[in-house]
Each structure stands twice: as C-alpha cells, then as structure tokens.
Amino acid sequence: MNLLLDTHVALWAITDSPRLAARARELIGSPRSSIWISTATIWEITIKHGLGRGDMPVSGHDALRYFRDSGYRLLPIEPEHATAIADLPPHHQDPFDRMLVAQALTEPMRLITHDAMVARYSDSIIEI
C-alpha cells in the first residue's frame, strides 16, 4: 500500500513521538507499505522552521536526511498535482495540506493525517 504522510505524521514518525497513533505506527511499519513524503512536506518544514515555529523542530535539511535514512520515498510535485487542487472543495485553506490531498487523490495514495478537516476530502484519507 502506498502511504503519503502529512507533515506532522511524518515528523512524529521520524522522532518516534508519542503523538503518533498506534494505527499509524502499524501502517508505517508494515512490510506491505511504501511510505512517501511529498516535496510539499519538505517545503513546509523548511518555511515554518525558518520562521521559528515550535511545531517544526527540525530544519528542512535535517528532515530530508531523516526521511531518506528511514527509507521513505520522495514524491515530487507534478503539474497534475498542482492543477488537481482546483477540483478540491474549500474544506481547508492550508496550501500545503491541499497539495498533499491533491497528490494523494491523483496518484492514488492513502494520505495519513491527524487533521479532521483534511480527512473530509475523501474516504481514502486515513485520519489517525
């Protein structure tokens, strides 16, 4: 199963945070799962860490290294992903989350998120 992790879930996974739900740990650790991180996630971490946001504890450089060391695959942003955003209802205004939803729906992948608003986009999104 192809799993795309939202930014917080990805950070919780690489830091072994207690905030990462058992269900997410199970899915991420399954040998049947391919774990994907979007370029949008690296971009979001880089921007928010640079602004001193406390919820982004690592730099984009460090996060990228941790993701690669964990064996996660990187998903580039393709033009089809960008244009798919136009088809999304306005459930959520965060551009990074909207990109992740568009990517998950376009590929297709199962997006794992902790954000109930993001989960409203599709029943293929896993809310933890």
Side-chain angles (χ1 to χ4, degrees):
M1 175 181 348
N2 286 315
L3 299 174
L4 180 61
L5 306 184
D6 87 354
T7 303
H8 284 96
V9 171
L11 287 171
W12 296 338
I14 63 171
T15 61
D16 196 29
S17 170
R19 295 187 70 182
L20 186 64
R23 169 116 167 95
R25 287 180 194 279
E26 178 184 315
L27 289 168
I28 292 168
S30 171
R32 296 180 312 185
S33 297
S34 293
I35 308 303
W36 292 83
I37 303 296
S38 172
T39 298
T41 293
I42 305 298
W43 186 10
E44 179 178 16
I45 292 168
T46 300
I47 289 171
K48 292 180 178 178
H49 181 78
L51 293 172
R53 295 269 308 260
D55 60 341
M56 297 297 155
V58 297
S59 70
H61 289 290
D62 288 342
L64 179 58
R65 187 178 75 248
Y66 295 143
F67 295 143
R68 285 184 170 151
D69 289 350
S70 296
Y72 298 169
R73 300 176 73 180
L74 299 174
L75 180 63
I77 297 172
E78 300 293 345
E80 294 78 13
H81 299 149
T83 58
I85 291 171
D87 299 328
L88 297 177
H91 297 320
H92 204 288
Q93 298 307 310
D94 183 286
F96 298 110
D97 288 334
R98 290 175 62 81
M99 176 56 74
L100 294 176
V101 170
Q103 287 181 298
L105 296 176
T106 300
E107 286 306 315
M109 296 179 166
R110 303 288 307 266
L111 176 61
I112 299 180
T113 185
H114 75 290
D115 188 330
M117 292 301 289
V118 170
R120 290 180 58 196
Y121 282 104
S122 171
D123 60 0
S124 69
I125 297 174
I126 302 168
E127 181 184 358
I128 55 141

